[in-house]
């Protein structure tokens, strides 16, 4: 899972206390239920959306006038509010509506799909039946991330249950073999489960090794048969992201300790540690086999190179934490996305951004470049960039002109993940509305759709482009076999 889902834990209690005005209340703290803050955060979007309903005359009517944060978690208040909502539904069973205007960006108006009502089913010719999906059960907690092996149909997944798993999807079985990679730590001379989330994972170029990063502060290298090859222990705190370089000799990691580290994959030793950020590092991406970019909650982006004791380039311009960064396939342009709701494109040739793309109206969680354009296996297709936002939309950008060419609006909850098919013709998106949508990148039209049983954290394509894997908040992992459609 990307690091921004974990970010801010140092400030959560403080922020909750300030924003809830708890110091000014006469609430007995012992009456607040355990995990009240977590429950509130999980339900925050639902509360916001449920505040507005249609009155009998068709006008907007607010049910909740002054619901404070502390009120929202008190059982008696919640119960009375629920009774009020239920009574209103009996009097007027109109559907809850959303009204989020879609902004345009640049000199062209994007091709925009109209958003369906939240409860409307996708066209039956588009919806993938459950019989065409293989659901993989085994994880005991949320599955934050998944990734296909680049050479075989092995799907790796990482979870909050402190395990990663490797699922063999090669034989088409509905009950594939799974290897359980238990993340353990030394305690009192014995190995015990770390009980920490697996936050990131990445296969090396030939698919022989899998690297994982964990909230326990360790990176690990595993063989594809499930054996632990080495443990990398230089970070002081949770690891938020890690990536192999293309050659497969180095691993790059980013952590809450504000540092990024290049590891020698053969020895498991720290080759160089970079300490240029002033706050937790959230994401990293290789530009070449020895240079990379990193981003942080400090709003800065640094480009660093092995052997250099200072960044070779730094980019500043975001006004909130930078959630993700990605180099284009040739390593010429760097895309970044932020909680400031902007997407920026940077070049090593200049200090200011090449494009400042402002169209999303909530935080942008992640971005992906298409595997198209000069120097890729698909040189005759234009290079495009996909951005996924908490505003429930995905946008496709033509970066050369800096314009949004499609706005994909069928999701009804935050979109956490997007992934291009290997040929660049399709884009998969996964949202907390439990849906995986597959879109045509040329027309922007919805091609296939599948609704799982939990909010989707990650989607990924296998190397042949005929299977899509997804991981979910209810502990499930599933595979859509597009050959069967």
């Amino acid at each position: 899972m990307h690091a921004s889902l974990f970010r801010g834990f140092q400030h959560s209690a403080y922020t909750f206390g300030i924003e809830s005005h708890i110091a000014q209340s006469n609430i007995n703290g012992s009456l607040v239920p355990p995990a009240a803050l977590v429950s509130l955060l999980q339900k925050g979007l639902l509360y916001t959306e449920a505040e507005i309903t249609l009155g009998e005359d068709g006008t907007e009517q607010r049910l909740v006038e002054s619901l404070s944060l502390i009120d929202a978690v008190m059982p008696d208040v919640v119960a009375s509010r629920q009774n009020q909502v239920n009574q209103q539904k009996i009097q007027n069973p109109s559907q809850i509506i959303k009204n989020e205007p879609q902004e345009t960006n640049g000199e062209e108006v994007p091709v925009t799909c109209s958003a369906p009502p939240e409860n409307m089913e996708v066209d039956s010719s588009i919806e993938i039946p459950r019989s065409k999906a293989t659901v993989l059960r085994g994880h005991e907690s949320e599955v934050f991330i998944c990734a296909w092996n680049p050479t075989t149909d092995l799907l790796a997944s990482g979870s909050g249950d402190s395990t990663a798993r490797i699922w063999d999807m090669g034989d088409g079985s509905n009950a594939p073999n799974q290897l359980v990679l238990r993340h353990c730590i030394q305690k009192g001379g014995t190995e015990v489960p770390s009980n920490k989330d697996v936050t990131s994972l990445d296969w090396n170029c030939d698919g022989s090794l899998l690297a994982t990063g964990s909230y326990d502060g360790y990176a690990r290298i595993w063989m594809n048969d499930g054996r632990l090859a080495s443990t990398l222990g230089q970070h002081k705190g949770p690891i938020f992201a890690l990536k192999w370089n293309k050659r497969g000799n180095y691993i790059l990691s980013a952590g809450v300790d504000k540092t990024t580290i290049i590891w020698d994959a053969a020895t498991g030793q720290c080759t160089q540690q970079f300490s240029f950020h002033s706050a937790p590092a959230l994401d990293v991406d290789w530009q070449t086999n020895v240079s990379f970019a990193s981003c942080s909650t400090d709003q800065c982006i640094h480009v660093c190179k092995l052997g250099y004791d200072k960044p070779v380039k730094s980019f500043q311009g975001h006004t909130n934490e930078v959630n993700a960064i990605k180099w284009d396939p040739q390593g010429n342009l760097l895309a970044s996305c932020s909680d400031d709701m902007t997407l920026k494109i940077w070049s090593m040739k200049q200090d200011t951004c090449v494009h400042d793309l402002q169209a999303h109206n909530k935080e942008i969680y992640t971005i992906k470049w298409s595997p198209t354009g000069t120097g890729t296996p698909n040189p005759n297709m234009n290079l495009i960039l996909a951005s996924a936002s908490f505003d429930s939309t995905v946008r496709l950008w033509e970066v050369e002109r800096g314009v949004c060419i499609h706005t994909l609006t069928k999701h009804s909850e935050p979109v956490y993940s997007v992934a291009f098919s290997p040929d660049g013709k399709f884009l998969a998106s996964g949202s907390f509305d439990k849906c995986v949508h597959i879109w045509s990148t040329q027309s922007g039209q919805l091609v296939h759709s599948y609704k799982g049983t939990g909010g989707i954290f990650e989607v990924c394509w296998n190397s042949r482009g005929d299977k899509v894997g997804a991981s979910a908040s209810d502990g499930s992992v599933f595979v859509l076999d597009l050959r069967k459609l």
Side-chain angles (χ1 to χ4, degrees):
M1 173 169 129
H2 296 288
S4 50
L5 280 184
F6 300 98
R7 68 182 182 269
F9 65 91
Q10 296 164 304
H11 310 294
S12 296
Y14 174 79
T15 303
F16 180 61
I18 294 297
E19 294 188 1
S20 65
H21 301 290
I22 195 167
Q24 286 79 46
S25 76
N26 57 0
I27 296 294
N28 181 349
S30 64
L31 297 179
V32 179
L37 175 59
V38 174
S39 176
L40 176 62
L41 293 175
Q42 288 173 333
K43 296 176 181 176
L45 282 172
L46 297 177
Y47 276 124
T48 303
E49 292 165 7
E51 284 182 1
I52 299 177
T53 63
L54 284 178
E56 291 184 7
D57 59 357
T59 60
E60 290 182 353
Q61 178 178 342
R62 286 191 174 271
L63 291 177
V64 180
E65 295 295 340
S66 57
L67 184 65
S68 72
L69 283 176
I70 194 65
D71 280 344
V73 298
M74 297 307 293
D76 57 335
V77 177
V78 172
S80 66
R81 295 292 181 184
Q82 189 59 53
N83 289 337
Q84 185 183 358
V85 171
N86 290 340
Q87 192 63 36
Q88 177 68 16
K89 284 180 179 176
I90 292 170
Q91 296 169 359
N92 176 22
S94 300
Q95 296 295 324
I96 292 171
I97 63 165
K98 290 184 182 179
N99 184 22
E100 295 183 356
Q102 296 301 319
E103 303 290 335
T104 60
N105 189 81
E107 62 267 17
E108 289 202 357
V109 177
V111 178
T112 307
C113 308
S114 59
E118 204 167 315
N119 294 331
M120 180 175 139
E121 291 297 326
V122 177
D123 186 293
S124 59
S125 64
I126 293 174
E127 189 171 7
I128 299 173
R130 291 197 180 276
S131 60
K132 305 298 184 183
T134 303
V135 180
L136 310 173
R137 300 281 182 185
H139 281 296
E140 298 170 2
S141 186
E142 307 100 324
V143 188
F144 297 123
I145 195 161
C146 59
W148 287 99
N149 185 294
T151 59
T152 62
D153 272 356
L154 297 176
L155 179 65
S157 56
S159 168
D161 65 7
S162 75
T163 75
R165 295 176 192 238
I166 299 175
W167 313 83
D168 187 352
M169 304 303 300
D171 61 1
S173 168
N174 286 327
N177 292 329
Q178 62 173 301
L179 299 172
V180 181
L181 315 182
R182 301 191 184 280
H183 288 56
C184 297
I185 55 173
Q186 292 287 332
K187 201 169 186 179
T190 60
E191 282 199 341
V192 298
S194 70
N195 293 323
K196 301 291 185 180
D197 300 341
V198 177
T199 60
S200 47
L201 49 79
D202 193 34
W203 292 97
N204 68 346
C205 53
D206 65 6
S208 60
L209 297 170
L210 177 71
T212 61
S214 171
Y215 214 76
D216 65 13
Y218 292 95
R220 295 169 175 85
I221 303 175
W222 309 81
M223 299 180 190
N224 60 16
D225 62 3
R227 286 182 293 164
L228 180 63
S230 55
T231 301
L232 320 177
Q234 186 81 8
H235 277 293
K236 293 179 172 60
I239 293 173
F240 286 157
L242 89 172
K243 304 272 176 63
W244 288 89
N245 66 350
K246 288 181 181 176
R247 271 186 60 190
N249 59 326
Y250 291 129
I251 295 171
L252 174 63
S253 61
V256 74
D257 61 6
K258 311 174 189 178
T259 74
T260 54
I261 296 177
I262 293 179
W263 308 86
D264 186 316
T267 65
Q269 298 301 306
C270 169
T271 301
Q272 187 172 350
Q273 188 163 13
F274 303 84
S275 305
F276 305 130
H277 286 294
S278 59
L282 296 180
D283 198 17
V284 285
D285 197 41
W286 290 99
Q287 180 189 27
T288 69
N289 280 308
V290 292
S291 62
F292 67 93
S294 62
C295 65
S296 164
T297 62
D298 67 7
Q299 307 174 15
C300 294
I301 299 166
H302 296 307
V303 182
C304 302
K305 191 171 184 179
L306 185 63
Y308 288 69
D309 59 3
K310 292 181 181 178
V312 296
K313 192 83 173 176
S314 292
F315 298 121
Q316 296 188 30
H318 282 294
T319 57
N320 208 326
E321 49 198 65
V322 185
N323 294 324
I325 47 172
K326 293 288 183 298
W327 290 100
D328 76 353
Q330 288 198 296
N332 293 329
L333 296 174
L334 180 69
S336 61
C337 64
S338 168
D339 277 2
D340 66 11
M341 301 183 286
T342 72
L343 175 70
K344 300 186 193 297
I345 310 296
W346 311 86
S347 167
M348 294 294 286
K349 297 176 183 178
Q350 63 186 68
D351 294 333
T352 56
C353 62
V354 177
H355 294 296
D356 183 14
L357 307 176
Q358 303 181 35
H360 287 290
N361 54 40
K362 287 188 181 178
E363 297 92 333
I364 307 175
Y365 186 67
T366 193
I367 45 179
K368 289 285 174 62
W369 291 96
S370 62
T372 54
T374 305
T376 74
N378 311 295
N380 297 322
M381 297 175 65
N382 289 335
L383 177 66
I384 58 177
L385 182 69
S387 56
S389 170
F390 282 7
D391 67 9
S392 306
T393 72
V394 175
R395 287 178 177 263
L396 298 182
W397 305 85
E398 187 187 285
V399 175
E400 187 173 336
R401 291 183 296 154
V403 296
C404 178
I405 54 175
H406 297 298
T407 305
L408 314 179
T409 60
K410 299 292 186 185
H411 286 297
S412 60
E413 294 286 349
V415 184
Y416 281 102
S417 180
V418 287
F420 283 94
S421 61
D423 61 9
K425 294 180 179 178
F426 300 100
L427 180 82
S429 60
S431 162
F432 229 61
D433 64 8
K434 305 181 183 178
C435 290
V436 171
H437 292 328
I438 298 174
W439 315 81
S440 164
T441 56
Q442 293 180 318
S443 69
Q445 294 300 305
L446 184 62
V447 179
H448 297 297
S449 183
Y450 179 81
K451 187 161 188 177
T453 53
I456 309 299
F457 281 125
E458 188 83 11
V459 290
C460 56
W461 294 81
N462 67 346
S463 59
R464 291 188 310 279
D466 57 19
K467 292 178 183 175
V468 172
S471 60
S473 61
D474 67 344
S476 65
V477 179
F478 58 86
V479 175
L480 306 177
D481 191 338
L482 304 184
R483 297 172 303 175
K484 298 177 180 178
L485 301 178

